[in-house]
Amino acid sequence: MKALSQFVLASSLVLSQFSFANTDTTALQQAMQSPTRSEANKARDQYRNPVETLHFFGVTPQSTVVEISPGGGWYTEILAPLLAKEGKYYAAHFPANSTSEYATRNLKAFKEKLASNEAYKNVVVTEFSPLPDQQVAPANSADVVLTFRNLHNWYMQKGEQGTIDAFKSFYAALKPGGVLGVVEHRLPEDKKSADWLKSGYFPQSLAVELAQKAGFVLEQSSEINANAKDTADHPGGVWTLPPTLSQKEQDKDKYQAIGESDRMTLKFRKPAAQ
């Protein structure tokens, strides 16, 4: 029985990889070439792999997608044109009533970005913070919820429960059978020392555990955004690497040669209704 289960699992992975390799990504490629994209953002494609990542999470032009904490809009430049005609794009940014100067400034800049180009006219801005019962989109409305490099922030702000609360908000927004896509700086399991959180990296095992506590099922993981050169033990944490380069000129060539961080790419699913 065990051998049969292993065979089925292996067969499923092969089928999944075959389907991934043979599914049309034309729309994603076109969105990546959108004139809305800045040259600075395009330069990071080699590390962020947007076409492969969105394809892995099952995003199509017809999808209803929620992006959590879109920041300056790196993925907005791709998702907005991709979803403009047949899909829907929710950008769950900082709350409008936040008392944080950083949050207020970033939300203002994001809204100014949206107002600057007709390509963003259909973007719906909602709110998110790692608190209970946040409505990032109408309940049971989203096909895909995406979060890129945010788990460490929630965990630093609100700990384990805050991160679970965040996942529960995503669960509520997703349709039964919907996908949660997570990309995060990956901390090697053998580097979980007492001060690991200060590094900006996050253990993959913990990410899976907290998502499962919110009701999600891990369907598949990918090495699309992996970087074997990243040792995750830099003096200024993940911010030592590009694009931040927190050490400024000190060993700059070394860190640029490493590139951006090693990242986990996890595909969770909200169980379909029975």
Side-chain angles (χ1 to χ4, degrees):
M1 191 61 141
K2 181 178 179 182
L4 177 60
S5 299
Q6 291 174 335
F7 173 77
V8 170
L9 176 59
S11 299
S12 298
L13 289 173
V14 170
L15 179 60
S16 174
Q17 291 167 355
F18 178 81
S19 300
F20 180 86
N22 288 276
T23 303
D24 184 22
T25 60
T26 302
L28 292 173
Q29 295 282 357
Q30 290 174 342
M32 192 178 75
Q33 300 304 322
S34 171
T36 60
R37 302 194 69 206
S38 70
E39 292 304 314
N41 284 347
K42 288 179 182 178
R44 298 181 64 196
D45 287 349
Q46 61 179 312
Y47 303 115
R48 302 197 67 173
N49 308 295
V51 170
E52 296 86 349
T53 300
L54 294 176
H55 183 55
F56 177 70
F57 292 142
V59 176
T60 72
Q62 296 77 36
S63 299
T64 295
V65 176
V66 185
E67 184 185 3
I68 306 300
S69 300
W74 196 95
Y75 260 103
T76 303
E77 294 181 2
I78 299 172
L79 290 169
L82 175 71
L83 303 169
K85 291 182 179 180
E86 301 176 83
K88 195 168 189 68
Y89 173 45
Y90 292 94
H93 216 289
F94 289 116
N97 64 354
S98 175
T99 58
S100 163
E101 189 275 332
Y102 173 83
T104 301
R105 184 177 71 249
N106 276 265
L107 177 59
K108 180 175 182 289
F110 183 73
K111 288 184 173 180
E112 288 174 350
K113 180 186 185 77
L114 298 186
S116 71
N117 195 307
E118 189 73 5
Y120 302 128
K121 67 179 182 179
N122 293 330
V123 177
V124 179
V125 178
T126 59
E127 298 183 348
F128 166 77
S129 59
L131 296 169
D133 304 318
Q134 299 291 292
Q135 188 176 58
V136 297
N140 301 307
S141 67
D143 298 298
V144 184
V145 173
L146 300 171
T147 176
F148 301 100
R149 306 178 350 271
N150 290 311
L151 269 63
H152 62 283
N153 290 320
W154 308 334
Y155 203 88
M156 283 191 283
Q157 293 171 36
K158 297 293 182 179
E160 180 172 314
Q161 187 56 53
T163 309
I164 295 172
D165 288 339
F167 282 131
K168 286 182 176 179
S169 296
F170 311 156
Y171 191 95
L174 282 166
K175 299 173 182 176
V179 168
L180 168 63
V182 175
V183 178
E184 174 63 299
H185 309 295
R186 178 165 48 192
L187 181 78
E189 296 295 330
D190 62 358
K191 287 186 167 60
K192 288 171 63 175
S193 59
D195 59 351
W196 67 266
L197 190 56
K198 298 177 183 177
S199 72
Y201 291 90
F202 203 86
Q204 183 164 320
S205 60
L206 182 58
V208 172
E209 175 189 340
L210 299 182
Q212 289 175 335
K213 286 182 176 180
F216 286 102
V217 175
L218 178 64
E219 183 169 285
Q220 196 175 359
S221 63
S222 172
E223 294 301 296
I224 294 168
N225 296 298
N227 180 359
K229 296 179 182 178
D230 180 15
T231 55
D233 57 358
H234 315 297
V238 71
W239 303 281
T240 303
L241 300 177
T244 305
L245 292 169
S246 65
Q247 306 302 296
K248 301 188 184 302
E249 294 302 315
Q250 183 177 342
D251 293 323
K252 182 177 179 180
D253 291 344
K254 169 187 171 182
Y255 298 127
Q256 286 183 319
I258 292 172
E260 295 193 18
S261 66
D262 175 56
R263 293 162 189 165
M264 64 181 95
T265 303
L266 307 176
K267 182 179 181 180
F268 297 94
R269 196 171 293 275
K270 177 179 179 176
Q274 298 299 315

